[in-house]
Amino acid sequence: MTALLSAACAALAVLSPASAFVPSPARAAGSQSALSLSRDDEIGTATRRGFLDNVATATAAIAGASSALMAPAPAMAYGLGKANDRLASYGLPGLKNVPNGYSALAEIYGKGANRSPLLVAFGFPLDWVVTLPSQDVNGEDGTIQAGEYAKGDTATFFVVPNEGKVENIQEKDKGFYKNALIAAISQKGSNIYQDFKVLNVSPVTADNGKYVLVDFKYTLLTGAGFEVERKGVASITSAGDGVQLLWAASISARYKNKTEGQLRSIVESFRCYADGLNFSADLRPAQQDIV
C-alpha cells in the first residue's frame, strides 16, 4: 500500500503539488513533508479515500491532457465576441446559447499542408486553458483543446482517420459512433482504456449542420496502474472531406456531481465548417520555417 501511495503522490506532485492534499498545520510549519506517506498522519487532514480520489483526478489529467504541456494560449486571446467576429468574417452564424461565464474560440485546424483546413468553434468555461496545434517545417501537429487540466476536465477536437465525407451523419449506426470515439480516446494506444460503452445517441440539427450527440463512459488505464472511470459527451459531424468530433470528459464522480451540464454545454456549442470556405488567408505557406 505504501509503494502504491508513493507512486500516486509522485503523479500528484508532477501535476499540481499545491492541490494534492488538504493543508495541515504540520505542512504549514514545514516540520513534516506532505510528500512522505510512511505514516497516516502525514496525509494531513485528508482521508485515504479523499487522497485516492485526488489521485484519480491527477492521473486522469496526466493521461488525458498531455497537450497541456505545450505553451497555452493566453485567456485574453479568446471570447464569445471574438469568436463570433471570426465566424462572421466567413459569412457564418455566431455561436448561440453559450452560457454566462463562458469564453469561446473559432480557430483554423489544418493550417499546415499535411491537413485539410477546418474552422472549429465552441464555447468553454472562462477559466479553462486553450492549447492549439503546433506548426513546423513538417506541417501541423496536435489539436484544438480546452480544459481544466488539474482536475482532468477536457474538451478535445478530433478528426476521425480514414473516414471520408458522410452525407448524413445522423443515419450512421451506434457502432460507427462508438468506433469514432474509441479512435479519439485511444490515440496513445489501445491499452489505455477498457469497458468503453455508448450510453445514448441524439441527433441534432443546428445552423444548417447535422450533428450527433453521444453520451459515453470508459475506464482509463494509467501507466501507474490506476483505473480511472470517466464519463463524457461528444458531438460528431461531417464537414469537408471527413468526419470530426468534439469530445468532452471528466472523471465519473465529477461528471455526476458537477461537470455534466458544463461538458454538455461545450459540445452542444460545437460547430465545424469547411464546405465553400476560402481559408487561403489563414493557411501557413508550404515549407515556411517556423522560428
Side-chain angles (χ1 to χ4, degrees):
M1 182 64 178
T2 299
L4 179 62
L5 290 174
S6 297
C9 188
L12 280 165
V14 169
L15 182 65
S16 180
S19 63
F21 306 103
V22 175
S24 67
R27 190 175 77 169
S31 61
Q32 294 180 343
S33 171
L35 298 181
S36 173
L37 301 179
S38 59
R39 300 192 306 273
D40 290 347
D41 60 357
E42 289 180 272
I43 303 179
T45 59
T47 64
R48 286 184 179 274
R49 176 62 180 172
F51 173 69
L52 291 175
D53 286 344
N54 283 339
V55 168
T57 300
T59 52
I62 291 171
S66 61
S67 61
L69 298 177
M70 299 169 56
M76 68 186 68
Y78 302 99
L80 182 59
K82 291 181 180 180
N84 284 345
D85 287 345
R86 185 80 176 274
L87 291 167
S89 72
Y90 282 94
L92 298 169
L95 297 178
K96 305 178 184 68
N97 301 319
V98 175
N100 291 333
Y102 274 49
S103 184
L105 61 79
E107 294 289 338
I108 304 297
Y109 171 97
K111 292 182 179 180
N114 59 322
R115 289 174 167 175
S116 298
L118 299 160
L119 178 55
V120 176
F122 59 88
F124 55 91
L126 192 61
D127 57 351
W128 280 26
V129 174
V130 173
T131 56
L132 299 176
S134 60
Q135 313 287 334
D136 61 24
V137 295
N138 298 313
E140 182 175 286
D141 189 37
T143 191
I144 299 169
Q145 185 181 63
E148 189 173 5
Y149 296 111
K151 296 181 179 178
D153 307 335
T154 56
T156 307
F157 178 71
F158 180 71
V159 176
V160 183
N162 305 316
E163 287 291 345
K165 175 72 174 179
V166 176
E167 291 302 326
N168 189 346
I169 195 70
Q170 297 174 348
E171 294 179 350
K172 304 300 285 188
D173 60 26
K174 185 183 290 187
F176 178 89
Y177 309 134
K178 178 180 179 179
N179 290 337
L181 282 166
I182 286 177
I185 70 171
S186 63
Q187 294 181 72
K188 296 180 182 178
S190 59
N191 62 340
I192 67 167
Y193 77 94
Q194 65 185 18
D195 303 329
F196 184 93
K197 185 176 181 179
V198 171
L199 303 175
N200 189 53
V201 174
S202 303
V204 175
T205 299
D207 297 326
N208 298 318
K210 293 182 178 180
Y211 298 82
V212 178
L213 299 181
V214 182
D215 293 78
F216 62 92
K217 67 176 182 178
Y218 66 100
T219 301
L220 175 68
L221 307 177
T222 74
F226 296 103
E227 296 184 1
V228 182
E229 294 182 357
R230 286 173 65 80
K231 294 187 73 173
V233 59
S235 178
I236 305 177
T237 191
S238 182
D241 58 2
V243 174
Q244 306 84 23
L245 59 89
L246 183 74
W247 66 284
S250 64
I251 64 172
S252 293
R254 282 180 56 76
Y255 188 86
K256 178 180 180 181
N257 298 322
K258 181 176 181 179
T259 64
E260 179 178 3
Q262 187 179 66
L263 301 184
R264 199 170 295 280
S265 293
I266 293 169
V267 300
E268 287 177 351
S269 72
F270 169 59
R271 299 291 181 266
C272 186
Y273 301 100
D275 301 311
L277 300 183
N278 181 0
F279 293 111
S280 58
D282 289 304
L283 300 186
R284 175 176 168 267
Q287 304 304 317
Q288 175 183 326
D289 291 336
I290 300 298
V291 178

